[in-house]
């Protein structure tokens, strides 16, 4: 059988990884797919670099529009990124009856509903394993492996750049900016690294997982997003003293009244496996009602780990493109007419435990006032740490860990605590998840 023909849009980090792995393992991949997979044309703005990367073996064009319109191309791989030109090209490819493979979580988190609907109408596949957690086959696991389960929650370290930054800062005491530069050089960071450090990239990914897990449309605009830029070294240290690690987690949880969808720095007990995921590694913990907790771990970024997921999608499409579209696995795991309009809950309505740090005057009765406010708000204290004040400085840090409570109740208590004359700083509030 003739090889299936692929057009590659963008040969940067992931594009070149895809080209190299496909070439290196072509025979093994052919035996799995049932026919060869051939990159017939590459589109990239930098045609000279593209020619070098492909050793002059492939046709190179500068205009990606040419590729999505060519009748000889069966599958288009979009590895340009962003939601400008990438959206236009993906929609055009679908319109022209091409299957699409993409690693572009930003595009799908923001425009996924439109893209999946266009693909459904045309009977083509949009595959996106590489869009979440790089090389970890988490989309396959959620969409197929766990299909018997009512999924209850997902919590994941799903941004390699920020996990790398947090690990290097903690272990080597390196500065934020230095580690971020290293992550960029290693090809982990997004073209705009604020997407990584402000939690946006993780929010794109958890939005996609949430839609697949709970059978709802993608709702990135409803996600709560906080990154690591406001995290201070002292909280990482105090968390350690209390037996916790701070990780940037993407969390989504099903409740009777809606779905929580959030990204923020989170204290996790140091004894949990996920708390020990370091560097650019990713890990996703999924709780299903039948299977219990399952954990998926691996490289979440980089050229070849991500290529691994891109090529897995290429093989899937190669095997399935002749199947009746109604018999394929739906893009969001649930049949399109079975998606539910379950609401995403505002952040004030989430349930979590909290870490509260405040600087107080080292005077009699301060702690009693603070605990009284928490008790009046119905907030139960789990643990507390009071640092010794330094000589000649009658001030100290108090750290309180709470049991699970509604976020709006904690916010109300914090406002009252901050109004106390003996509380000398704003209260630092971090969320904490036991993940058990
Ligand atoms: P790169 O920036 O390394 O690669 C993008 C490539 O696309 C560049 O070669 C760029 O050329 C080219 N390009 C830009 N505009 C056009 C255009 N109009 N037509 C043709 N080519 C164009 O990005 P990555 O490979 O890192 O990322 C690609 C996608 O994969 C993104 O969606 C990203 O979020 C996702 N992803 C990335 C991972 C990673 O580890 N890097 C992991 C998982 C997903 P030029 O350089 O000249 O602008
Ligand atoms: N910038 C992303 C990360 C790439 O650091 O995880 C993988 O999606």
């Amino acid at each position: 059988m003739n090889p299936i023909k692929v057009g590659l849009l963008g040969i940067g980090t992931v594009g070149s990884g895809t080209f190299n792995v496909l070439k290196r393992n072509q025979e093994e991949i052919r035996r799995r797919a049932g026919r060869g997979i051939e990159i017939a044309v590459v589109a990239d703005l930098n045609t000279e670099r593209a020619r070098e990367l492909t050793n002059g073996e492939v046709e190179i064009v500068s205009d990606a529009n040419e590729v999505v319109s060519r009748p000889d191309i069966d599958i288009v791989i979009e590895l340009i990124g962003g939601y400008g030109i990438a959206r236009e090209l993906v929609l055009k490819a679908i319109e022209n009856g091409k299957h699409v493979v993409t690693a572009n979580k930003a595009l799908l988190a923001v425009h996924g509903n439109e893209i999946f609907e266009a693909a459904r109408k045309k009977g083509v596949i949009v595959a996106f394993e590489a869009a979440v957690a790089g090389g970890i086959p988490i989309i396959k696991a959620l969409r197929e492996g766990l299909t018997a389960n009512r999924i209850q929650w997902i919590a994941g370290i799903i941004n390699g750049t920020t996990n790398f930054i947090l690990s290097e800062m903690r272990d080597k005491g390196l500065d934020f900016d230095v580690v971020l530069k290293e992550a960029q050089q290693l090809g982990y960071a997004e073209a705009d690294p604020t997407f990584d450090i402000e939690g946006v990239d993780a929010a794109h990914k958890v939005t996609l997982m949430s839609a697949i897990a709970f059978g709802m449309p993608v709702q990135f605009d409803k996600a709560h997003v906080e990154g690591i830029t406001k995290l201070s070294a002292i909280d990482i240290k105090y968390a350690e003293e209390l037996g916790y690690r701070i990780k940037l987690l993407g969390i989504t949880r099903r409740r009777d009244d809606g779905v929580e969808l959030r990204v923020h720095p989170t204290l996790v007990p140091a004894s949990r496996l996920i708390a020990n995921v370091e560097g650019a590694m990713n890990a996703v913990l999924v709780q299903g009602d039948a299977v219990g907790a399952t954990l998926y771990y691996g490289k979440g970024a980089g050229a070849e780990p991500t290529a691994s997921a891109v090529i897995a999608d290429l093989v899937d499409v190669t095997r399935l493109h002749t199947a009746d579209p109604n018999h394929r696995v739906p893009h969001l795991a649930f049949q399109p007419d079975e998606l539910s309009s379950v609401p995403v809950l505002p952040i004030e309505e989430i349930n979590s435990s909290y870490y509260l740090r405040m600087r107080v005057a080292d005077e009699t009765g301060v702690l009693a006032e603070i605990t009284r406010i928490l008790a009046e708000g119905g907030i139960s204290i789990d643990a507390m740490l009071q640092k010794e004040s330094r000589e000649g400085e009658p001030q100290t840090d108090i750290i309180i860990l709470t049991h699970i409570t509604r976020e709006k109740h904690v916010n109300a208590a914090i406002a009252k605590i901050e109004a106390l004359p003996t509380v000398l700083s704003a209260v630092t509030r971090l969320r904490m998840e036991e993940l058990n």
Side-chain angles (χ1 to χ4, degrees), residues 26 102 125 136 200 260-261 323 359 396-397 412 434:
Q26 60 179 324
T102 180
I125 302 168
I136 305 175
V200 178
E260 296 183 3
L261 183 57
R359 187 111 186 115
T396 186
D397 281 343
E434 290 297 323

Side-chain angles (χ1 to χ4, degrees), residues 190-212:
E190 293 304 299
D192 176 356
T194 57
F195 271 37
D196 296 291
I197 59 180
E198 296 297 356
V200 178
D201 176 71
H204 288 147
K205 294 166 179 166
V206 74
T207 296
L208 291 171
M209 290 197 289
S210 185
I212 292 172

Side-chain angles (χ1 to χ4, degrees), residues 11 23 51 58 66 79 87 92 176 197 199 204 231 278 307 314 345 349 379 393 414 435:
I11 186 156
K23 187 173 166 198
R51 214 158 275 126
V58 176
E66 216 180 287
L79 294 174
R87 174 176 162 271
K92 217 180 260 181
F176 186 96
I197 59 180
H204 288 147
L231 193 60
E278 304 292 1
L314 282 178
L345 297 162
E349 298 298 333
I379 300 159
E393 195 186 31
I414 288 174
L435 303 180

